[in-house]
């Protein structure tokens, strides 16, 4: 059987990840084609550099990252469920259908992502992070916990924000259209130029 260059590259990275004495931070994965790669349950992903890379469908479930760079990469359909990410930078990344369910995001930067449609952050804990110039259409943030988060120039449409706990969150130039926000809690939040259009705020608390 002939193995393609892409398949061989993915196999090499996966084998490197199995070696305990090898730190993936020693490698630069920028611009590489690593579609559907599986790096789950990894604890050695410090300073993971993967800018302008194709990581579509990649699996990072239950892995731990410190200061990873995913700028301008394709992370559509990627999985970060139950992962821990500190200082992650997703500027300009494609994040459609990405999953961060029950993930812990601290000091994350989601600045000008190309696409966050259908992103799933259900149950995520997001702290000291920023979202700017993004479209969160059909996104799921239900049961998420946001603390000291800034959302600016954001459009959220046909999304689910039910049971969200938002503490010290800044909403600036945010447009919410047809968003389900049942039992959402706003605690010490700052809202400037925020539009609620046809939203369900049943039992919301401000």
């Amino acid at each position: 059987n002939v193995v393609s260059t892409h398949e061989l590259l993915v196999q090499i990275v996966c084998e490197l990840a199995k070696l305990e004495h090898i730190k993936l931070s020693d490698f630069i994965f920028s611009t590489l084609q690593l579609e559907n790669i599986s790096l789950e349950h990894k604890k050695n992903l410090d300073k993971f550099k993967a800018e302008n890379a194709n990581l579509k469908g990649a699996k990072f479930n239950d892995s731990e990252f410190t200061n990873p760079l995913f700028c301008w990469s394709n992370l559509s359909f990627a999985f970060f469920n139950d992962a821990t990410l500190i200082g992650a930078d997703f500027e300009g990344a494609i994040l459609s259908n990405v999953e961060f369910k029950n993930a812990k995001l601290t000091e994350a930067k989601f600045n000008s992502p190309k696409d966050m449609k259908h992103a799933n952050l259900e149950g995520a804990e997001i702290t000291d992070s920023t979202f700017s110039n993004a479209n969160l259409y059909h996104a799921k943030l239900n049961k998420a916990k946001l603390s000291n988060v800034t959302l600016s120039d954001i459009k959220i449409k046909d999304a689910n924000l039910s049971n969200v706990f938002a503490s010290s969150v800044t909403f600036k130039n945010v447009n919410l259209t047809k968003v389900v926000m049942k039992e959402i809690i706003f605690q010490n939040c700052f809202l400037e130029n925020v539009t609620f259009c046809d939203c369900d705020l049943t039992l919301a608390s401000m």
Side-chain angles (χ1 to χ4, degrees):
N1 295 332
V2 178
V3 179
S4 68
T5 302
H6 167 259
E7 291 174 327
L8 180 60
L9 179 61
V10 170
Q11 289 175 13
I12 291 172
V13 175
C14 288
E15 289 303 315
L16 284 172
K18 293 178 183 179
L19 302 176
E20 293 184 2
H21 64 284
I22 293 291
K23 290 186 176 181
L24 292 181
S25 58
D26 294 333
F27 299 87
I28 297 175
F29 300 100
S30 299
T31 73
L32 297 183
Q33 298 293 319
L34 297 172
E35 188 173 345
N36 297 316
I37 192 170
S38 179
L39 294 173
E40 299 181 287
H41 317 294
K42 302 301 177 186
K43 311 302 178 185
N44 61 340
L45 298 176
D46 295 347
K47 298 180 181 179
F48 186 81
K49 301 178 183 69
E51 299 168 290
N52 286 295
N54 181 6
L55 293 163
K56 181 178 180 180
K59 296 179 178 64
F60 299 109
N61 296 323
D62 191 39
S63 289
E64 296 180 0
F65 295 84
T66 302
N67 299 320
L69 296 176
F70 293 107
C71 303
W72 311 105
S73 291
N74 183 356
L75 286 161
S76 56
F77 296 94
F79 298 88
F80 291 89
N81 298 329
D82 299 300
T84 299
L85 299 99
I86 300 173
D89 195 341
F90 294 97
E91 181 177 0
I94 299 174
L95 297 166
S96 57
N97 296 280
V98 69
E99 290 193 7
F100 289 96
K101 291 190 292 186
N102 301 310
K104 294 182 179 179
L105 292 149
T106 304
E107 298 179 358
K109 300 180 184 70
F110 292 87
N111 299 325
S112 302
K114 291 182 181 178
D115 191 356
M116 286 195 76
K117 294 177 182 176
H118 298 279
N120 191 338
L121 293 96
E122 180 179 353
E125 295 182 18
I126 308 172
T127 307
D128 301 325
S129 300
T130 59
F131 292 78
S132 66
N133 193 27
N135 293 328
L136 290 162
Y137 294 167
H138 307 284
K140 295 181 180 178
L141 285 90
N142 45 307
K143 299 181 181 179
K145 295 180 180 179
L146 282 64
S147 178
N148 196 30
V149 172
T150 298
L151 294 92
S152 60
D153 299 301
I154 303 291
K155 292 182 180 179
I156 305 175
K157 184 177 180 180
D158 294 312
N160 188 348
L161 275 71
S162 296
N163 299 105
V164 166
F165 181 78
S167 175
S168 300
V169 175
T170 297
F171 297 83
K172 185 176 182 180
N173 301 327
V174 178
N175 188 312
L176 299 110
T177 303
K178 295 182 179 179
V179 178
V180 178
M181 306 174 73
K182 294 180 178 179
E183 299 186 60
I184 188 172
I185 297 175
F186 295 95
Q187 185 179 81
N188 300 321
C189 293
F190 175 78
L191 285 72
E192 178 182 345
N193 193 26
V194 177
T195 303
F196 297 91
C197 181
D198 198 19
C199 294
D200 185 348
L201 287 158
T202 303
L203 299 178
S205 175
M206 294 189 180

